[in-house]
Amino acid sequence: MYGDLRWAAGSGPPAPGRDRWRTARGGTVPRTAVVGALAALLLAGCSSSDGDGDDRVPGRPGQRPKSVAPYWVNPDSKAARQVSAYGKDGKAADARLVDRIAAQPVAEWIGVDDPQGEARGFTQAAAKADREALLVLYNIPHRDCGRYSQGGAADGNAYRAWLDGVLKGIGDRATTVVLEPDALPHIADKCTPQQFHEERYALLTEAVGKLKALPHTKVYLDAGNPHWIKDPGAMVEPLKRAGIDRADGFALNISNYQTTQENAKYGKRLSALVGGKPFVIDTSRNGNGPAPGGDDRENWCNPPGRALGTPPTTKTGDPRIAAYLWIKRPGESDGTCKGGPKAGAWWPKYALELARGAK
């Protein structure tokens, strides 16, 4: 399960900011005394070695300025717990690196066992912090063509029941939903067998309609990335049949590494074909762009040498690009390739590599 409710089930919102930093030895120092030095460290790129004599460990994550990123930062995410664990182990430099992930609003992927409880927990926590929840729904039947993220609901009725739980959990709280990564691109690339297409379109159309019937929910349908479905025209019919007219827009680059520039160019071409709809770009791991292709057919799966991309923000400087989002949770595996654990599992080594490579 990608989601994490350990904090969301608590009784109060996260602290509004970090007024003090704690050291690996248990002491605290004022934030104002260290913020300048820390900024310099982050810009220079911290080493994972703790031989620098700096034992400052970031505290519990707070929220980013609402005007920049209105989405909720989970103060008990996997990344935040990793920061705490590194601090307790005396690995302050590693803690500071992983805090580059923990400090950002990252999407919560709703699991299959308790969709209503998870959606309610995340949206309530976000509302208490005066922020917007960012959720991913990823349970379509015949998901991922039986690959690393295979699974999904057993059939259409099971999916509808699961979706109804999500809807009840969201209620009237402000939420942005990224709907079913890969579902439409896998129709466009013919990976999903033809006999499942009609059901998939029906389920996605229903999902868009029901989500948009909620008073404060935005919905973005996944449209792949420019190196997957290279002709944006191939995504037009799938998007239209899935309800793009009612949705707020579409999403690009989910769990991938293509550059923001390439996605922006592609997205504008696709937008012009679907009525000028805006789009969001997953920038979670595209700081160094994609890995070189070579002979690796899975160069999208846990590629080495990648980096965190632009932090989440709605300040994109382009009216067609609604936001840069971290939809894929940095530090979670793409699948059991290149030494990684199963898809969605936390992988500290990869989290450190992504953070270390960030500009």
mmCIF file with all atom_site columns, all heavy atoms in Angstrom, residues 46-52 54-57 90-98 352:
data_model
loop_
_atom_site.group_PDB
_atom_site.id
_atom_site.type_symbol
_atom_site.label_atom_id
_atom_site.label_alt_id
_atom_site.label_comp_id
_atom_site.label_asym_id
_atom_site.label_entity_id
_atom_site.label_seq_id
_atom_site.pdbx_PDB_ins_code
_atom_site.Cartn_x
_atom_site.Cartn_y
_atom_site.Cartn_z
_atom_site.occupancy
_atom_site.B_iso_or_equiv
_atom_site.pdbx_formal_charge
_atom_site.auth_seq_id
_atom_site.auth_comp_id
_atom_site.auth_asym_id
_atom_site.auth_atom_id
_atom_site.pdbx_PDB_model_num
ATOM 1   N N   . CYS A 1 46  ? 24.928 17.790 -0.044 1.00 0.00 ? 46  CYS A N   1
ATOM 2   C CA  . CYS A 1 46  ? 25.517 17.156 1.127  1.00 0.00 ? 46  CYS A CA  1
ATOM 3   C C   . CYS A 1 46  ? 26.041 15.781 0.779  1.00 0.00 ? 46  CYS A C   1
ATOM 4   O O   . CYS A 1 46  ? 25.465 15.061 -0.002 1.00 0.00 ? 46  CYS A O   1
ATOM 5   C CB  . CYS A 1 46  ? 24.468 17.027 2.233  1.00 0.00 ? 46  CYS A CB  1
ATOM 6   S SG  . CYS A 1 46  ? 23.768 18.596 2.776  1.00 0.00 ? 46  CYS A SG  1
ATOM 7   N N   . SER A 1 47  ? 27.130 15.395 1.432  1.00 0.00 ? 47  SER A N   1
ATOM 8   C CA  . SER A 1 47  ? 27.646 14.037 1.308  1.00 0.00 ? 47  SER A CA  1
ATOM 9   C C   . SER A 1 47  ? 26.928 13.143 2.281  1.00 0.00 ? 47  SER A C   1
ATOM 10  O O   . SER A 1 47  ? 26.486 13.588 3.342  1.00 0.00 ? 47  SER A O   1
ATOM 11  C CB  . SER A 1 47  ? 29.142 14.035 1.624  1.00 0.00 ? 47  SER A CB  1
ATOM 12  O OG  . SER A 1 47  ? 29.609 12.719 1.797  1.00 0.00 ? 47  SER A OG  1
ATOM 13  N N   . SER A 1 48  ? 26.776 11.858 1.937  1.00 0.00 ? 48  SER A N   1
ATOM 14  C CA  . SER A 1 48  ? 26.127 10.939 2.848  1.00 0.00 ? 48  SER A CA  1
ATOM 15  C C   . SER A 1 48  ? 27.059 10.537 3.978  1.00 0.00 ? 48  SER A C   1
ATOM 16  O O   . SER A 1 48  ? 26.666 9.876  4.912  1.00 0.00 ? 48  SER A O   1
ATOM 17  C CB  . SER A 1 48  ? 25.648 9.685  2.108  1.00 0.00 ? 48  SER A CB  1
ATOM 18  O OG  . SER A 1 48  ? 26.752 8.991  1.574  1.00 0.00 ? 48  SER A OG  1
ATOM 19  N N   . SER A 1 49  ? 28.297 10.942 3.913  1.00 0.00 ? 49  SER A N   1
ATOM 20  C CA  . SER A 1 49  ? 29.234 10.657 4.993  1.00 0.00 ? 49  SER A CA  1
ATOM 21  C C   . SER A 1 49  ? 28.998 11.625 6.134  1.00 0.00 ? 49  SER A C   1
ATOM 22  O O   . SER A 1 49  ? 28.721 12.800 5.930  1.00 0.00 ? 49  SER A O   1
ATOM 23  C CB  . SER A 1 49  ? 30.672 10.799 4.485  1.00 0.00 ? 49  SER A CB  1
ATOM 24  O OG  . SER A 1 49  ? 31.582 10.782 5.574  1.00 0.00 ? 49  SER A OG  1
ATOM 25  N N   . ASP A 1 50  ? 29.054 11.136 7.370  1.00 0.00 ? 50  ASP A N   1
ATOM 26  C CA  . ASP A 1 50  ? 28.887 12.004 8.525  1.00 0.00 ? 50  ASP A CA  1
ATOM 27  C C   . ASP A 1 50  ? 30.219 12.500 9.054  1.00 0.00 ? 50  ASP A C   1
ATOM 28  O O   . ASP A 1 50  ? 30.334 12.902 10.201 1.00 0.00 ? 50  ASP A O   1
ATOM 29  C CB  . ASP A 1 50  ? 28.121 11.261 9.630  1.00 0.00 ? 50  ASP A CB  1
ATOM 30  C CG  . ASP A 1 50  ? 26.656 11.098 9.263  1.00 0.00 ? 50  ASP A CG  1
ATOM 31  O OD1 . ASP A 1 50  ? 26.135 11.993 8.595  1.00 0.00 ? 50  ASP A OD1 1
ATOM 32  O OD2 . ASP A 1 50  ? 26.060 10.071 9.626  1.00 0.00 ? 50  ASP A OD2 1
ATOM 33  N N   . GLY A 1 51  ? 31.226 12.493 8.233  1.00 0.00 ? 51  GLY A N   1
ATOM 34  C CA  . GLY A 1 51  ? 32.529 12.945 8.665  1.00 0.00 ? 51  GLY A CA  1
ATOM 35  C C   . GLY A 1 51  ? 32.691 14.442 8.635  1.00 0.00 ? 51  GLY A C   1
ATOM 36  O O   . GLY A 1 51  ? 33.782 14.945 8.894  1.00 0.00 ? 51  GLY A O   1
ATOM 37  N N   . ASP A 1 52  ? 31.613 15.197 8.309  1.00 0.00 ? 52  ASP A N   1
ATOM 38  C CA  . ASP A 1 52  ? 31.756 16.643 8.220  1.00 0.00 ? 52  ASP A CA  1
ATOM 39  C C   . ASP A 1 52  ? 31.600 17.323 9.571  1.00 0.00 ? 52  ASP A C   1
ATOM 40  O O   . ASP A 1 52  ? 31.725 18.540 9.677  1.00 0.00 ? 52  ASP A O   1
ATOM 41  C CB  . ASP A 1 52  ? 30.749 17.225 7.225  1.00 0.00 ? 52  ASP A CB  1
ATOM 42  C CG  . ASP A 1 52  ? 29.305 16.875 7.564  1.00 0.00 ? 52  ASP A CG  1
ATOM 43  O OD1 . ASP A 1 52  ? 29.067 16.333 8.667  1.00 0.00 ? 52  ASP A OD1 1
ATOM 44  O OD2 . ASP A 1 52  ? 28.433 17.164 6.734  1.00 0.00 ? 52  ASP A OD2 1
ATOM 45  N N   . ASP A 1 54  ? 28.976 17.878 11.266 1.00 0.00 ? 54  ASP A N   1
ATOM 46  C CA  . ASP A 1 54  ? 27.712 18.595 11.386 1.00 0.00 ? 54  ASP A CA  1
ATOM 47  C C   . ASP A 1 54  ? 26.639 17.610 11.837 1.00 0.00 ? 54  ASP A C   1
ATOM 48  O O   . ASP A 1 54  ? 26.296 16.685 11.110 1.00 0.00 ? 54  ASP A O   1
ATOM 49  C CB  . ASP A 1 54  ? 27.347 19.207 10.031 1.00 0.00 ? 54  ASP A CB  1
ATOM 50  C CG  . ASP A 1 54  ? 26.181 20.175 10.142 1.00 0.00 ? 54  ASP A CG  1
ATOM 51  O OD1 . ASP A 1 54  ? 25.446 20.099 11.148 1.00 0.00 ? 54  ASP A OD1 1
ATOM 52  O OD2 . ASP A 1 54  ? 26.015 20.996 9.234  1.00 0.00 ? 54  ASP A OD2 1
ATOM 53  N N   . ASP A 1 55  ? 26.093 17.811 13.039 1.00 0.00 ? 55  ASP A N   1
ATOM 54  C CA  . ASP A 1 55  ? 25.143 16.833 13.564 1.00 0.00 ? 55  ASP A CA  1
ATOM 55  C C   . ASP A 1 55  ? 23.714 17.351 13.604 1.00 0.00 ? 55  ASP A C   1
ATOM 56  O O   . ASP A 1 55  ? 22.867 16.820 14.305 1.00 0.00 ? 55  ASP A O   1
ATOM 57  C CB  . ASP A 1 55  ? 25.577 16.365 14.960 1.00 0.00 ? 55  ASP A CB  1
ATOM 58  C CG  . ASP A 1 55  ? 25.572 17.479 15.996 1.00 0.00 ? 55  ASP A CG  1
ATOM 59  O OD1 . ASP A 1 55  ? 25.330 18.644 15.615 1.00 0.00 ? 55  ASP A OD1 1
ATOM 60  O OD2 . ASP A 1 55  ? 25.810 17.184 17.179 1.00 0.00 ? 55  ASP A OD2 1
ATOM 61  N N   . ARG A 1 56  ? 23.426 18.383 12.852 1.00 0.00 ? 56  ARG A N   1
ATOM 62  C CA  . ARG A 1 56  ? 22.062 18.923 12.824 1.00 0.00 ? 56  ARG A CA  1
ATOM 63  C C   . ARG A 1 56  ? 21.135 18.002 12.044 1.00 0.00 ? 56  ARG A C   1
ATOM 64  O O   . ARG A 1 56  ? 21.445 17.605 10.923 1.00 0.00 ? 56  ARG A O   1
ATOM 65  C CB  . ARG A 1 56  ? 22.056 20.320 12.217 1.00 0.00 ? 56  ARG A CB  1
ATOM 66  C CG  . ARG A 1 56  ? 22.734 21.362 13.093 1.00 0.00 ? 56  ARG A CG  1
ATOM 67  C CD  . ARG A 1 56  ? 22.956 22.653 12.339 1.00 0.00 ? 56  ARG A CD  1
ATOM 68  N NE  . ARG A 1 56  ? 23.895 22.453 11.234 1.00 0.00 ? 56  ARG A NE  1
ATOM 69  C CZ  . ARG A 1 56  ? 24.273 23.426 10.422 1.00 0.00 ? 56  ARG A CZ  1
ATOM 70  N NH1 . ARG A 1 56  ? 23.792 24.633 10.571 1.00 0.00 ? 56  ARG A NH1 1
ATOM 71  N NH2 . ARG A 1 56  ? 25.133 23.178 9.450  1.00 0.00 ? 56  ARG A NH2 1
ATOM 72  N N   . VAL A 1 57  ? 19.987 17.719 12.627 1.00 0.00 ? 57  VAL A N   1
ATOM 73  C CA  . VAL A 1 57  ? 18.999 16.835 12.009 1.00 0.00 ? 57  VAL A CA  1
ATOM 74  C C   . VAL A 1 57  ? 17.683 17.596 11.863 1.00 0.00 ? 57  VAL A C   1
ATOM 75  O O   . VAL A 1 57  ? 17.208 18.210 12.829 1.00 0.00 ? 57  VAL A O   1
ATOM 76  C CB  . VAL A 1 57  ? 18.776 15.572 12.868 1.00 0.00 ? 57  VAL A CB  1
ATOM 77  C CG1 . VAL A 1 57  ? 17.684 14.699 12.263 1.00 0.00 ? 57  VAL A CG1 1
ATOM 78  C CG2 . VAL A 1 57  ? 20.075 14.782 12.989 1.00 0.00 ? 57  VAL A CG2 1
ATOM 79  N N   . GLY A 1 90  ? 22.559 8.642  14.304 1.00 0.00 ? 90  GLY A N   1
ATOM 80  C CA  . GLY A 1 90  ? 23.716 9.524  14.185 1.00 0.00 ? 90  GLY A CA  1
ATOM 81  C C   . GLY A 1 90  ? 24.125 9.829  12.761 1.00 0.00 ? 90  GLY A C   1
ATOM 82  O O   . GLY A 1 90  ? 25.229 10.319 12.522 1.00 0.00 ? 90  GLY A O   1
ATOM 83  N N   . LYS A 1 91  ? 23.238 9.564  11.810 1.00 0.00 ? 91  LYS A N   1
ATOM 84  C CA  . LYS A 1 91  ? 23.545 9.815  10.401 1.00 0.00 ? 91  LYS A CA  1
ATOM 85  C C   . LYS A 1 91  ? 22.897 11.132 9.972  1.00 0.00 ? 91  LYS A C   1
ATOM 86  O O   . LYS A 1 91  ? 21.942 11.166 9.192  1.00 0.00 ? 91  LYS A O   1
ATOM 87  C CB  . LYS A 1 91  ? 23.046 8.662  9.536  1.00 0.00 ? 91  LYS A CB  1
ATOM 88  C CG  . LYS A 1 91  ? 23.716 7.321  9.876  1.00 0.00 ? 91  LYS A CG  1
ATOM 89  C CD  . LYS A 1 91  ? 23.169 6.208  9.005  1.00 0.00 ? 91  LYS A CD  1
ATOM 90  C CE  . LYS A 1 91  ? 23.856 4.875  9.317  1.00 0.00 ? 91  LYS A CE  1
ATOM 91  N NZ  . LYS A 1 91  ? 23.304 3.767  8.477  1.00 0.00 ? 91  LYS A NZ  1
ATOM 92  N N   . ALA A 1 92  ? 23.424 12.220 10.510 1.00 0.00 ? 92  ALA A N   1
ATOM 93  C CA  . ALA A 1 92  ? 22.802 13.526 10.298 1.00 0.00 ? 92  ALA A CA  1
ATOM 94  C C   . ALA A 1 92  ? 22.817 13.952 8.839  1.00 0.00 ? 92  ALA A C   1
ATOM 95  O O   . ALA A 1 92  ? 21.853 14.532 8.337  1.00 0.00 ? 92  ALA A O   1
ATOM 96  C CB  . ALA A 1 92  ? 23.491 14.574 11.162 1.00 0.00 ? 92  ALA A CB  1
ATOM 97  N N   . ALA A 1 93  ? 23.896 13.689 8.125  1.00 0.00 ? 93  ALA A N   1
ATOM 98  C CA  . ALA A 1 93  ? 23.980 14.107 6.726  1.00 0.00 ? 93  ALA A CA  1
ATOM 99  C C   . ALA A 1 93  ? 22.954 13.368 5.881  1.00 0.00 ? 93  ALA A C   1
ATOM 100 O O   . ALA A 1 93  ? 22.315 13.957 5.000  1.00 0.00 ? 93  ALA A O   1
ATOM 101 C CB  . ALA A 1 93  ? 25.389 13.847 6.190  1.00 0.00 ? 93  ALA A CB  1
ATOM 102 N N   . ASP A 1 94  ? 22.786 12.061 6.145  1.00 0.00 ? 94  ASP A N   1
ATOM 103 C CA  . ASP A 1 94  ? 21.761 11.308 5.426  1.00 0.00 ? 94  ASP A CA  1
ATOM 104 C C   . ASP A 1 94  ? 20.368 11.831 5.770  1.00 0.00 ? 94  ASP A C   1
ATOM 105 O O   . ASP A 1 94  ? 19.490 11.910 4.901  1.00 0.00 ? 94  ASP A O   1
ATOM 106 C CB  . ASP A 1 94  ? 21.861 9.823  5.760  1.00 0.00 ? 94  ASP A CB  1
ATOM 107 C CG  . ASP A 1 94  ? 23.040 9.141  5.088  1.00 0.00 ? 94  ASP A CG  1
ATOM 108 O OD1 . ASP A 1 94  ? 23.638 9.751  4.177  1.00 0.00 ? 94  ASP A OD1 1
ATOM 109 O OD2 . ASP A 1 94  ? 23.366 8.001  5.465  1.00 0.00 ? 94  ASP A OD2 1
ATOM 110 N N   . ALA A 1 95  ? 20.155 12.193 7.023  1.00 0.00 ? 95  ALA A N   1
ATOM 111 C CA  . ALA A 1 95  ? 18.860 12.747 7.431  1.00 0.00 ? 95  ALA A CA  1
ATOM 112 C C   . ALA A 1 95  ? 18.556 14.030 6.674  1.00 0.00 ? 95  ALA A C   1
ATOM 113 O O   . ALA A 1 95  ? 17.432 14.252 6.211  1.00 0.00 ? 95  ALA A O   1
ATOM 114 C CB  . ALA A 1 95  ? 18.852 13.001 8.938  1.00 0.00 ? 95  ALA A CB  1
ATOM 115 N N   . ARG A 1 96  ? 19.563 14.879 6.514  1.00 0.00 ? 96  ARG A N   1
ATOM 116 C CA  . ARG A 1 96  ? 19.340 16.139 5.795  1.00 0.00 ? 96  ARG A CA  1
ATOM 117 C C   . ARG A 1 96  ? 19.039 15.893 4.322  1.00 0.00 ? 96  ARG A C   1
ATOM 118 O O   . ARG A 1 96  ? 18.247 16.607 3.706  1.00 0.00 ? 96  ARG A O   1
ATOM 119 C CB  . ARG A 1 96  ? 20.561 17.055 5.957  1.00 0.00 ? 96  ARG A CB  1
ATOM 120 C CG  . ARG A 1 96  ? 20.741 17.575 7.380  1.00 0.00 ? 96  ARG A CG  1
ATOM 121 C CD  . ARG A 1 96  ? 21.743 18.718 7.423  1.00 0.00 ? 96  ARG A CD  1
ATOM 122 N NE  . ARG A 1 96  ? 23.062 18.315 6.990  1.00 0.00 ? 96  ARG A NE  1
ATOM 123 C CZ  . ARG A 1 96  ? 23.989 17.778 7.782  1.00 0.00 ? 96  ARG A CZ  1
ATOM 124 N NH1 . ARG A 1 96  ? 23.712 17.542 9.053  1.00 0.00 ? 96  ARG A NH1 1
ATOM 125 N NH2 . ARG A 1 96  ? 25.182 17.470 7.325  1.00 0.00 ? 96  ARG A NH2 1
ATOM 126 N N   . LEU A 1 97  ? 19.668 14.873 3.756  1.00 0.00 ? 97  LEU A N   1
ATOM 127 C CA  . LEU A 1 97  ? 19.381 14.554 2.361  1.00 0.00 ? 97  LEU A CA  1
ATOM 128 C C   . LEU A 1 97  ? 17.937 14.098 2.187  1.00 0.00 ? 97  LEU A C   1
ATOM 129 O O   . LEU A 1 97  ? 17.210 14.599 1.329  1.00 0.00 ? 97  LEU A O   1
ATOM 130 C CB  . LEU A 1 97  ? 20.340 13.458 1.876  1.00 0.00 ? 97  LEU A CB  1
ATOM 131 C CG  . LEU A 1 97  ? 21.732 13.908 1.442  1.00 0.00 ? 97  LEU A CG  1
ATOM 132 C CD1 . LEU A 1 97  ? 22.623 12.693 1.212  1.00 0.00 ? 97  LEU A CD1 1
ATOM 133 C CD2 . LEU A 1 97  ? 21.670 14.754 0.178  1.00 0.00 ? 97  LEU A CD2 1
ATOM 134 N N   . VAL A 1 98  ? 17.514 13.142 2.987  1.00 0.00 ? 98  VAL A N   1
ATOM 135 C CA  . VAL A 1 98  ? 16.163 12.602 2.831  1.00 0.00 ? 98  VAL A CA  1
ATOM 136 C C   . VAL A 1 98  ? 15.104 13.644 3.207  1.00 0.00 ? 98  VAL A C   1
ATOM 137 O O   . VAL A 1 98  ? 13.972 13.594 2.734  1.00 0.00 ? 98  VAL A O   1
ATOM 138 C CB  . VAL A 1 98  ? 15.990 11.310 3.646  1.00 0.00 ? 98  VAL A CB  1
ATOM 139 C CG1 . VAL A 1 98  ? 14.560 10.781 3.568  1.00 0.00 ? 98  VAL A CG1 1
ATOM 140 C CG2 . VAL A 1 98  ? 16.951 10.237 3.129  1.00 0.00 ? 98  VAL A CG2 1
ATOM 141 N N   . LEU A 1 352 ? 18.200 8.290  -1.021 1.00 0.00 ? 352 LEU A N   1
ATOM 142 C CA  . LEU A 1 352 ? 19.435 9.049  -0.848 1.00 0.00 ? 352 LEU A CA  1
ATOM 143 C C   . LEU A 1 352 ? 20.041 9.448  -2.196 1.00 0.00 ? 352 LEU A C   1
ATOM 144 O O   . LEU A 1 352 ? 20.517 10.576 -2.368 1.00 0.00 ? 352 LEU A O   1
ATOM 145 C CB  . LEU A 1 352 ? 20.445 8.231  -0.046 1.00 0.00 ? 352 LEU A CB  1
ATOM 146 C CG  . LEU A 1 352 ? 20.208 8.119  1.453  1.00 0.00 ? 352 LEU A CG  1
ATOM 147 C CD1 . LEU A 1 352 ? 21.129 7.075  2.069  1.00 0.00 ? 352 LEU A CD1 1
ATOM 148 C CD2 . LEU A 1 352 ? 20.420 9.479  2.136  1.00 0.00 ? 352 LEU A CD2 1
#
